[in-house]
């Protein structure tokens, strides 16, 4: 007899962009751990994406790595088509997580192109992905979209304005989409991480940042993943248009 309790995302299909490493990997692992089948999107790191899939399948979950540049419309459409075909159902959960390089530049050093590069990841890509999953979500009368923002939208970090601007835009987009899609049973929320060290931070000194965090320590990728899986699930069925800061109390409200 199988006494396994169904996970809170059992039978759901989740697409996580940028899931080959960093926060995306652990968001994918967490969603799969709660029963979702997960499309593990990545741009170029095949071995890393395969490792995310391995972590999921070895724990008894279901996942497939799907390469797609999420800033390109045709590739986004293929990503969603392949996900739906492979797993045999519409997308239930979309996590807009992927990021490209995040340049720290003064205003003088910044060009409009530097700004649009960030908008490509944090406004254009979520828009393309949301458009691609919407028909399926509307026809099933449910869905959860989780945008990964950042505390920088509240902190306004100096010499980081292109990234800060794009992350701030995600907040307005989240709220407007939440209002527009609520009548269809589709919820849209944002998780705003503080600095969560991932592979690309391996040589960074976190001491200064950590001192200012009220809880007194750095967060871990699974702290973000837990917030995403909560918002993705029916536990959050009455929550939409919200920004959830996961940063040890480093910012309040938004
Ligand atoms: N880590 C933090 O401290 C922190 C704090 C606040 C907010 N955030 C936000 O959290 C999210 C994840 O950040 P992270 O630190 O985990 O990033 P990361 O470790 O640099 O990982 C980036 C991911 O995005 C993928 N990617 C890059 N370009 C892509 C493209 N064109 N199409 C599809 N995928 C692409 C990468 O795939 P490949 O491996 O194939 O290149 C990789 O899987 C971002 O939205 C970031 O702004 C992070």
């Amino acid at each position: 007899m199988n006494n396994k309790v169904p996970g809170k995302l059992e039978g759901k299909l989740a697409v996580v962009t940028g899931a080959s490493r960093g926060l995306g990997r652990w968001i994918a692992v967490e969603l799969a751990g709660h029963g979702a089948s997960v499309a593990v999107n990545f741009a170029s790191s095949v071995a890393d994406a395969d490792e995310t899939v391995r972590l999921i399948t070895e724990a008894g979950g279901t996942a497939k790595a799907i390469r797609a540049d999420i800033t390109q419309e045709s590739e986004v459409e293929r990503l969603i088509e392949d996900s739906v075909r492979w797993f045999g159902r519409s997308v239930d959960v979309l996590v807009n997580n992927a990021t490209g390089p995040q340049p720290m530049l003064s205003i003088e050093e910044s060009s409009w192109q530097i700004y649009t590069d960030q908008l490509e990841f944090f406004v254009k890509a979520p828009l393309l992905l949301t458009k691609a999953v919407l028909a399926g979500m509307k026809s099933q009368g449910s869905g959860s979209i989780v945008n990964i923002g950042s505390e920088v939208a509240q902190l306004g970090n100096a010499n980081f304005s292109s990234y800060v601007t794009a992350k701030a835009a995600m907040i307005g987009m989240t709220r407007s989409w939440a209002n527009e899609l609520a009548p269809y049973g589709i919820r849209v929320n944002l998780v705003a991480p503080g600095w969560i060290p991932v592979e690309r931070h391996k040589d960074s000194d976190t001491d200064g940042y950590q001192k200012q965090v009220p809880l007194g320590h750095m967060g871990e990728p699974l702290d973000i993943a837990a917030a995403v899986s909560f918002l993705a699930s029916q536990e959050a069925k009455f929550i939409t248009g919200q920004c959830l800061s996961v940063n040890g109390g480093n910012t309040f409200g938004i």
Side-chain angles (χ1 to χ4, degrees):
M1 199 169 94
N2 183 358
N3 288 326
K4 195 176 161 233
V5 180
K8 64 186 177 187
L9 294 169
E10 205 71 48
K12 304 291 187 191
L13 169 56
V15 174
V16 183
T17 68
S20 51
R21 56 193 159 89
L23 303 184
R25 165 177 287 171
W26 299 106
I27 292 168
V29 167
E30 178 79 3
L31 296 179
H34 288 290
S37 300
V38 182
V40 173
N41 163 249
F42 67 104
S44 57
S45 311
V46 181
D48 290 340
D50 286 346
E51 173 63 8
T52 302
V53 171
R54 189 191 66 76
L55 288 167
I56 291 172
T57 52
E58 284 203 350
T62 307
K64 178 170 172 54
I66 304 180
R67 185 205 296 260
D69 178 349
I70 47 105
T71 66
Q72 300 304 312
E73 188 164 4
S74 59
E75 297 202 25
V76 166
E77 285 169 358
R78 183 184 46 74
L79 165 64
I80 300 305
E81 281 164 15
D82 286 357
S83 302
V84 169
R85 192 177 318 113
W86 184 264
F87 294 106
R89 62 173 290 119
S90 298
V91 175
D92 301 280
V93 176
L94 168 64
V95 184
N96 287 308
N97 167 78
T99 181
Q102 304 165 0
M104 295 208 65
L105 297 169
S106 69
I107 298 168
E108 289 90 337
E109 289 165 334
S110 298
S111 61
W112 177 233
Q113 183 66 50
I114 292 288
Y115 274 62
T116 55
D117 288 348
Q118 297 304 306
L119 294 169
E120 291 264 331
F121 274 94
F122 303 129
V123 178
K124 180 184 176 187
L127 172 65
L128 296 176
L129 281 143
T130 298
K131 281 168 72 98
V133 300
L134 221 42
M137 287 185 176
K138 282 185 173 179
S139 73
Q140 64 192 16
S142 65
S144 175
I145 298 169
V146 183
N147 294 321
I148 306 301
S150 171
E151 68 175 4
V152 301
Q154 280 171 282
L155 294 172
N157 309 46
N159 301 304
F160 210 19
S161 59
S162 58
Y163 179 73
V164 173
T165 300
K167 287 298 190 185
M170 278 187 127
I171 297 169
M173 198 171 67
T174 298
R175 290 176 175 158
S176 179
W177 288 357
N179 269 319
E180 183 173 336
L181 299 177
Y184 302 95
I186 302 167
R187 297 178 298 101
V188 189
N189 291 289
L190 180 144
V191 170
W195 183 8
I196 311 290
V198 294
E199 295 88 333
R200 68 188 164 89
H201 299 121
K202 66 178 179 346
D203 298 322
S204 303
D205 181 358
T206 58
D207 286 357
Y209 178 89
Q210 188 168 319
K211 280 198 189 91
Q212 80 196 14
V213 175
L215 282 177
H217 60 86
M218 301 299 287
E220 299 168 357
L222 284 174
D223 294 324
I224 307 305
V228 172
S229 77
F230 165 66
L231 290 170
S233 77
Q234 280 300 97
E235 290 176 349
K237 66 183 173 17
F238 203 46
I239 300 177
T240 195
Q242 302 304 308
C243 302
L244 177 55
S245 296
V246 184
N247 61 0
N250 206 31
T251 56
F252 294 120
I254 201 153

